[in-house]
Amino acid sequence: MNSTTRLDSFGDAFSKNFISFAVGFIINCINGAFVSTYFKYQVFQRDPRYVLYIHLVINDMIMLTVSVALQIMTYTIPMNLAHCCIMLLILITTDKNSPLNLAAMAVERYIAVCRPLHHVHICTVQRAYALIALIWGISFIPAITDVIIILATQPLSVFSKTVICYPAAVYNTQYHKAQSTVVQVLLFSFVFLTLIITYLKVLCTAWTVSGSNQASARNACNTILLHGLQVLICMLSFISPFINLILITSWPRDRTKILFTTFLFTNLLPRLLSPLIYGIRDKKFSSHMRQHICCKCCTSVEKRVNLIGLQTSLEIRYIFFLVVYIIPRFMSPVIYHPSVFGMSISGSTGLGTLLVEANVSSGSNRCY
């Protein structure tokens, strides 16, 4: 989609960038709520299952942010090959992380259901962090290999050239295509085999056990099936070139719209699946998340109430200060020294005149 930016008018380019930014921002806000809930409660940080889950969510947030930023920068800022390779390095690494993380979560569910006595010793938080580091290392190898191929086949001056930062446009040699095909076949073959084996094992366990264990096993089966669905959705980004080719051949005039739509449905929207599949389905996580959101809402309401109470208290204190301190000091000279304010004793029936006449009459009565 980025390779066709010069075919777009200003209005089309603005609308596409705005939609991408809005969708990415909303999805990241939803994912950010799950990440905030995870770090709020220690109970999740001590469970390797939630450690792997939150890594998947953070990985999707990084991938989504880089994808949207790369699209907007391709439309607005000229980018040389060096900067483009750095962006693609992050993008490709996070893209490979997702299926490997799903396979790791499926294995963890298999151990929890089929080997419950060994789960505590095998699946620890430290090993979960080590597995995450291994996932990043494995995913980083294909990404850095693409850069090494450029270094081996082209001169260093090519890194200063301005390019359209799109993987198919930058990594366009036969070596890149062969390496990408081999990595995709090996990666998804491994992930699918892992998901199928763990699903069959958990399914057999669900048939043999009874009671609460059976319900847990069936729940694990459903979770692994959702893993498989998410892996299939992850594969959409790899088959999107074939989808684009078929659609563009049928509707060549709508080329840029087709490319943007496939980018939206194969790269952006799948990043919303992780919180929907795991966070909302998991009763423990969803209950803590509702509690976390309610606490935030109550805290904000309490702050507003306290602010209103503080303002009311200040207003009451101000009125009390006026009544007790200011007004009496202002009325004293008016009452006892009216001439200062232009009131003549012999002039009229004002307050000062009445007070003087009252004093005179009382004095005459005392003389008699």
Side-chain angles (χ1 to χ4, degrees):
M1 190 268 303
N2 292 336
S3 61
T4 62
T5 55
R6 293 186 177 86
L7 302 178
D8 294 330
S9 63
F10 175 79
D12 292 338
F14 178 80
S15 61
K16 291 176 181 178
N17 287 329
F18 179 78
I19 292 172
S20 298
F21 177 80
V23 172
F25 180 77
I26 293 172
I27 295 175
N28 273 345
C29 287
I30 297 173
N31 290 341
F34 285 89
V35 174
S36 176
T37 303
Y38 170 82
F39 286 105
K40 176 72 174 180
Y41 300 98
Q42 294 289 332
V43 64
F44 298 122
Q45 301 177 32
R46 294 192 293 265
D47 193 334
R49 176 188 179 188
Y50 295 106
V51 172
L52 293 173
Y53 161 69
I54 210 66
H55 170 252
L56 182 64
V57 175
I58 294 174
N59 181 81
D60 286 346
M61 292 177 67
I62 296 173
M63 181 182 175
L64 182 62
T65 303
V66 175
S67 298
V68 174
L70 189 60
Q71 179 196 354
I72 296 175
M73 291 170 65
T74 302
Y75 274 98
T76 56
I77 303 174
M79 188 179 302
N80 57 32
L81 183 60
H83 296 158
C84 177
C85 286
I86 295 174
M87 299 286 287
L88 293 179
L89 195 67
I90 301 172
L91 188 62
I92 294 174
T93 302
T94 53
D95 186 43
K96 298 292 189 298
N97 282 343
S98 295
L100 291 175
N101 200 100
L102 291 171
M105 294 176 70
V107 172
E108 190 274 334
R109 286 293 86 197
Y110 159 74
I111 297 173
V113 175
C114 300
R115 300 287 187 271
L117 298 178
H118 303 282
H119 180 263
V120 178
H121 304 287
I122 296 175
C123 299
T124 61
V125 175
Q126 290 76 14
R127 290 185 178 181
Y129 287 129
L131 183 60
I132 290 172
L134 180 62
I135 289 172
W136 277 89
I138 294 174
S139 301
F140 183 75
I141 293 174
I144 196 65
T145 302
D146 291 329
V147 180
I148 293 174
I149 292 174
I150 293 180
L151 291 172
T153 57
Q154 299 184 24
L156 294 177
S157 59
V158 74
F159 286 96
S160 60
K161 293 183 178 179
T162 302
V163 296
I164 298 175
C165 196
Y166 188 68
V170 175
Y171 303 141
N172 54 6
T173 64
Q174 295 296 327
Y175 302 104
H176 288 107
K177 295 178 181 179
Q179 183 260 356
S180 177
T181 303
V182 171
V183 169
Q184 291 177 17
V185 170
L186 291 177
L187 177 65
F188 283 96
S189 298
F190 168 76
V191 172
F192 270 114
L193 285 174
T194 303
L195 293 177
I196 291 172
I197 292 173
T198 53
Y199 176 75
L200 293 177
K201 292 283 188 180
V202 173
L203 187 62
C204 293
T205 304
W207 286 343
T208 57
V209 299
S210 60
S212 61
N213 291 331
Q214 187 177 17
S216 177
R218 289 179 179 177
N219 189 23
C221 287
N222 295 332
T223 302
I224 294 175
L225 281 178
L226 291 174
H227 287 333
L229 175 63
Q230 193 166 3
V231 171
L232 288 175
I233 295 175
C234 289
M235 288 188 66
L236 290 176
S237 61
F238 298 104
I239 65 175
S240 59
F242 302 101
I243 299 174
N244 292 334
L245 181 61
I246 295 172
L247 296 177
I248 290 172
T249 304
S250 303
W251 296 280
R253 294 183 178 181
D254 299 326
R255 184 170 184 264
T256 57
K257 296 179 181 178
I258 291 171
L259 293 174
F260 174 73
T261 304
T262 54
F263 168 77
L264 193 66
F265 282 95
T266 61
N267 288 276
L268 298 188
L269 293 180
R271 307 282 79 81
L272 186 59
L273 287 178
S274 297
L276 294 180
I277 289 177
Y278 308 108
I280 296 178
R281 283 184 68 251
D282 190 274
K283 295 181 180 179
K284 182 179 178 180
F285 201 95
S286 60
S287 63
H288 280 79
M289 183 177 178
R290 286 194 297 269
Q291 181 181 355
H292 179 51
I293 294 175
C294 291
C295 287
K296 281 191 172 182
C297 294
C298 292
T299 303
S300 61
V301 171
E302 184 179 355
K303 287 182 179 179
R304 291 181 181 179
V305 171
N306 291 335
L307 181 60
I308 294 173
L310 179 61
Q311 292 177 351
T312 306
S313 177
L314 291 177
E315 291 175 358
I316 293 174
R317 291 181 181 180
Y318 178 70
I319 294 172
F320 180 78
F321 177 75
L322 287 178
V323 173
V324 175
Y325 291 97
I326 303 300
I327 295 178
R329 285 161 177 74
F330 175 76
M331 293 300 296
S332 296
V334 175
I335 295 174
Y336 298 106
H337 303 282
S339 60
V340 177
F341 295 91
M343 297 180 182
S344 176
I345 296 177
S346 61
S348 65
T349 60
L351 178 63
T353 306
L354 293 175
L355 291 173
V356 171
E357 291 177 353
N359 291 331
V360 170
S361 61
S362 62
S364 61
N365 291 332
R366 285 195 300 270
C367 292
Y368 288 104

